[in-house]
Amino acid sequence: MSNRFPTVVILITAAAFVGFAIWLTVMPNALLEGFGITERTPQMATEIRAFYGGIEFGIGAAMFLLWRRGDLFAALLIGGLPLAGSATGRCVGMVADGYFGLHAGFAVLEAIAAVLCFIGCAVVSRGSVDG
């Protein structure tokens, strides 16, 4: 495995968090429409902007800043843990509340991204990385 692998994972994951955050800050109803929610309130849009916009932007920014400081392990952990938690929450929800294809798709993507982050953590821990 390339010693650049952790850096590539960090940059792609951080960009995905930031991109998703910007998209849903600008177009919060896109998330609601994706899940078939037709009745919307301004409070719902604000919550989507806050959580999917603000928190996800913060995660992406933290990953990027930690990468710039050379702390690859922390950057990968900051990205991987929320992704693993989100994928797990979606799976629990699908078992408890019923299957929905969009949730399954997101869960698969989040799980793959989390695994890549954790593999990056292992690579960094072995000490064979060029930042």
Side-chain angles (χ1 to χ4, degrees):
M1 184 172 301
S2 168
N3 58 358
R4 297 272 182 202
F5 177 79
T7 294
V8 171
V9 171
I10 290 166
L11 295 178
I12 290 172
T13 304
F17 271 115
V18 169
F20 202 66
I22 291 169
W23 174 52
L24 289 175
T25 296
V26 174
M27 299 176 57
N29 287 335
L31 184 67
L32 299 173
E33 291 166 3
F35 290 111
I37 299 170
T38 56
E39 294 188 33
R40 302 175 191 132
T41 66
Q43 294 86 350
M44 293 166 92
T46 297
E47 187 60 24
I48 290 168
R49 285 184 171 106
F51 190 83
Y52 290 97
I55 291 176
E56 291 199 12
F57 186 87
I59 292 168
M63 290 180 73
F64 181 75
L65 292 171
L66 288 164
W67 169 73
R68 291 285 295 160
R69 290 180 50 127
D71 195 343
L72 305 183
F73 186 89
L76 290 158
L77 204 57
I78 292 285
L81 289 174
L83 288 165
S86 199
T88 302
R90 287 184 200 282
C91 291
V92 169
M94 286 187 293
V95 169
D97 305 318
Y99 174 82
F100 185 58
L102 191 55
H103 284 121
F106 278 138
V108 168
L109 291 173
E110 291 161 345
I112 290 169
V115 167
L116 291 173
C117 285
F118 298 146
I119 291 170
C121 284
V123 170
V124 170
S125 293
R126 286 198 318 258
S128 61
V129 176
D130 294 332

